[in-house]
Amino acid sequence: MRPSRLKPITLAAAALFGVAAPASAAITINKAEISGGKLVVTGSRTGTAPNIELDGEFTTGVAAGKFAFSLTYLPSDCIVDLKAVGGTGGTLNGVVVANCGPHGVNPQGAWLNTKTYIENDLVTDFGSSWRAKANTNVNRAKRPAANLAFWEKFAAKGERGPHGIQGSTGATGGTGTAGATGATGSPGATGAAGATGAAGAIGPAGPALYKRIGFQSITVGAAIDPVVQITSLTITPPVNGMAILRGRGWCNMQGGANINSVLLSVGQSLETAFDGFDLRNMGVLSLPGGSVAANHQLAWTTETEFGVEAGVSTTFFLAGKSEVGPGGATCFGSLSAEVFTDTLP
């Protein structure tokens, strides 16, 4: 379809109202009107053309020099053009159609790239409105602002207005009724690891697998009392395992004192632990022999291992052995027991 236009109507009016057409016209119009919901155009032609074409889209035959159109068609500007096709007969442009009013635009909402638009379709895009220029199937996916062959701007986007005055705060609405509990949603994705939390409170004491005692001012006598208990430690392990007994400390030597050994052993009492000085079940630390000067400090460490049973109390003894020397010694230090319940892989 051609674009809208305004034309002089002298020739068309003359044809419409029965006024004789100029001698040069080969097509004469008897009727051009909207009637019965259709476009009706009748007339005659001089010449040899077997067909008459209307607006380049519709064709009808010529019989005995006469032709007639009855179309479901509304010219956008209520003007049609006629042309003889296939022979002589000429053209007749600008025929005004009676009972016809030019139709307006057809609002189509926001422009869609999947839709084909026809002439006078009106769309909005980026704040402006655009009118489709013609019926065509090639304006699909042609954005208006970038395709002016298919679109013309109908109304430009307005400038942003000033901010209005802030309205007063409305009254607080009443509390609505509680909605129904929604369905449980599907589990979400595992979130990122959170920051390390603060240290928790110290829990209650667990089974006693480790025990340590300290001692001080324990006197190891002279040779007349060769084995003197320095200290003892009793444990009752909650599981079967191996106990490692460790002793460490030092002795302040009195004048002429001599400690031959610091001994570890297990038993019900000092006498059973060291009965007969059987050292096969003892940890023994041999110290340098001979008398030493008064106030001399002699440091020592020793350890030994024993099997233990769950719930069975076991007593470990730490003793000093002195065979010669008139003086004694005052010893300080600690004694500890650890219970192991498994082995390395």
Side-chain angles (χ1 to χ4, degrees):
M1 178 179 288
R2 65 195 183 291
S4 301
R5 71 275 160 93
L6 296 176
K7 292 185 176 180
I9 63 171
T10 303
L11 178 61
L16 179 62
F17 297 106
V19 180
S24 60
I27 298 176
T28 301
I29 298 299
N30 295 327
K31 180 189 294 184
E33 65 181 7
I34 301 297
S35 177
K38 293 182 178 292
L39 169 66
V40 178
V41 179
T42 63
S44 60
R45 67 104 182 91
T46 59
T48 62
N51 297 300
I52 299 295
E53 185 180 79
L54 185 148
D55 276 355
E57 296 187 39
F58 309 101
T59 302
T60 189
V62 178
K66 299 183 182 299
F67 63 88
F69 288 93
S70 180
L71 307 170
T72 304
Y73 172 58
L74 178 64
S76 62
D77 53 4
C78 295
I79 296 174
V80 295
D81 297 332
L82 300 171
K83 177 181 178 182
V85 179
T88 61
T91 61
L92 181 60
N93 295 330
V95 177
V96 177
V97 178
N99 302 325
C100 175
H103 58 77
V105 294
N106 304 312
Q108 298 294 318
W111 175 81
L112 299 173
N113 64 358
T114 57
K115 186 174 179 179
T116 298
Y117 296 92
I118 63 174
E119 183 179 10
N120 289 324
D121 278 351
L122 195 67
V123 300
T124 59
D125 193 37
F126 289 119
S128 296
S129 57
W130 301 82
R131 184 188 72 86
K133 289 184 176 181
N135 295 314
T136 173
N137 61 1
V138 297
N139 66 7
R140 183 192 294 265
K142 298 291 194 301
R143 192 162 218 123
N147 294 275
L148 299 183
F150 303 106
W151 299 91
E152 68 177 358
K153 186 176 287 188
F154 190 79
K157 177 181 179 181
E159 297 295 330
R160 183 185 294 273
H163 287 289
I165 300 173
Q166 182 173 349
S168 58
T169 302
T172 303
T175 302
T177 57
T181 302
T184 301
S186 57
T190 301
T196 302
I202 298 175
L209 295 183
Y210 177 83
K211 192 171 184 180
R212 179 179 185 274
I213 63 172
F215 59 88
Q216 60 183 356
S217 299
I218 303 299
T219 300
V220 178
I224 58 174
D225 193 6
V227 178
V228 176
Q229 177 178 319
I230 297 176
T231 189
S232 65
L233 173 66
T234 300
I235 63 171
T236 305
V239 293
N240 294 334
M242 177 66 70
I244 297 181
L245 192 67
R246 293 185 175 92
R248 62 183 300 171
W250 68 96
C251 294
N252 288 331
M253 313 302 288
Q254 300 174 13
N258 176 30
I259 295 179
N260 296 91
S261 303
V262 176
L263 311 174
L264 286 171
S265 188
V266 60
Q268 298 302 316
S269 65
L270 180 65
E271 289 75 16
T272 59
F274 295 99
D275 186 21
F277 301 113
D278 183 356
L279 305 183
R280 290 175 299 172
N281 201 30
M282 304 177 188
V284 180
L285 172 67
S286 296
L287 303 176
S291 299
V292 295
N295 299 323
H296 178 75
Q297 285 190 347
L298 189 63
W300 48 267
T301 60
T302 184
E303 70 176 50
T304 191
E305 297 180 1
F306 295 92
V308 293
E309 297 181 15
V312 177
S313 296
T314 302
T315 301
F316 301 98
F317 292 93
L318 177 66
K321 179 183 178 185
S322 176
E323 295 182 348
V324 296
T330 302
C331 297
F332 303 80
S334 64
L335 176 63
S336 64
E338 297 175 80
V339 177
F340 294 86
T341 61
D342 205 348
T343 58
L344 290 174

